[in-house]
Amino acid sequence: MEAIIRPTAEAAADLAARIIARELRANPHLVLGLATGRTMETVYSRLVRIHREEKLDFSLCRTFNLDEYVGLPGSDRHSYRHYMNHHLFLQVNIDLRNTHLPDGMAANLEAECERYERLISKFGGINLQLLGIGRTGHLGFNEPLSALRSRTRVKALSPITLAQNAPLFQEPAQMPRRAITMGVGTILECQRCLLLATGAEKADIVAKAVEGPITSMISATALQLHSRCTVVVDEAAAARLQEADYYRWIFENEPEWEAFR
Ligand code: GLP
C-alpha cells in the first residue's frame, strides 16, 4: 500500500482523477470500478473537465460500480445509478450500455448478485477500482463483519451508515436499509485499488485502515492485502497517520510520482 498526502481535499481529488485519466489513456478499454459518495463528486467533476479540456476518451471503457441500494429504481434521484449518470456518465462520451451497477430492483436479488459477478469476470475483471471509505471503514457497503473473502451480495446497513447517508435523502426515513455491494473478495481481485478520503472526520478511520490491524470489522483494512493499492488523502484526513512524514517523502522523491507532483 502507498499513502499519498495532498494539502487540500481538492488537490487529493485532483490527484485521484489524474491517476484515473492516466490509466484510461494507457488502456482505452479500461474496466473501471467506480464509487459514490460526497468525496467522489470532486473526482468526477475533475474527470469531466479533463474530458472537455484534454479530450479524455471514455468511449471504449466499461464501468462497474461498487454498490446500489435495494428497492430504488435508477430513476430515483437517491439511487447510485442516478448519482453516476448525473455526476459522470451523462457528461462524458461514455456509452451508457457500458456502465454497470447492481440492479437494486431485481426480483431475485441473489441471482442479481451472481449475474453481477459473472459480468465482471466476462470483461476480464476490474483494472482500476476507485474507492471511498465510510465512517465505519466500509468499502462499498461492506459493513462490519463482512468476510474478507465475501462476494457481491445483499448487506444490511449499519446504524452508523444509516445515520451518515440519511441526510442525503429527502425523507430520511425512506432510506433503504439494505444494499447490494461487491464483496471484499471481489474488490481485492481488481488489478489496482485507488482509495480517496478527505476531511477531518475521516482521519481516525483512515489511520485504522492504513496502519491498523486487518479485521473484518473494518473492511478497508483488507486493502493491506492488495499488492497495488494507492490511498490518497488530504492533510485533514492524514492527521492521525503515524508515518505521515515517510509517506510525504515518498511522494516528493520517488520517480513514479514525478508526473503527478
Ligand atoms: C457510501 C458508499 C461508499 C462510500 C461512502 C463514503 O456509503 N457506499 O462506497 O465510500 O459512502 O461517502 P462520503 O464520500 O460521502 O463520505
Side-chain angles (χ1 to χ4, degrees), residues 35-40 66-67 80 131-134 138-141 161 164-165 202:
T36 50
R38 285 158 279 211
T39 315
M40 296 304 151
L66 286 167
D67 46 16
Y80 284 165
L131 298 160
I133 184 169
H138 66 203
L139 300 177
F141 276 125
T161 299
Q164 189 185 333
N165 289 0
K202 297 280 172 76

Side-chain angles (χ1 to χ4, degrees), residues 1 7 26 45 123 150 186-187 220 233 240-241 256:
M1 186 184 270
S45 76
F123 292 111
S150 50
T186 319
I187 294 167
V233 292
R240 302 190 71 133
L241 289 172
E256 67 162 307

Side-chain angles (χ1 to χ4, degrees), residues 93-148:
N93 66 333
I94 200 163
D95 184 338
L96 276 182
R97 289 168 301 185
N98 290 343
T99 67
H100 306 283
L101 286 92
D103 177 5
M105 293 295 285
N108 183 339
L109 292 171
E110 208 175 308
E112 169 59 10
C113 296
E114 283 166 21
R115 181 196 70 87
Y116 203 62
E117 287 274 341
R118 276 198 308 275
L119 203 57
I120 293 171
S121 301
K122 185 178 153 199
F123 292 111
I126 291 168
N127 299 122
L128 174 64
Q129 177 67 56
L130 180 63
L131 298 160
I133 184 169
R135 293 242 181 97
T136 57
H138 66 203
L139 300 177
F141 276 125
N142 287 286
E143 300 288 44
L145 297 191
S146 287
L148 301 184

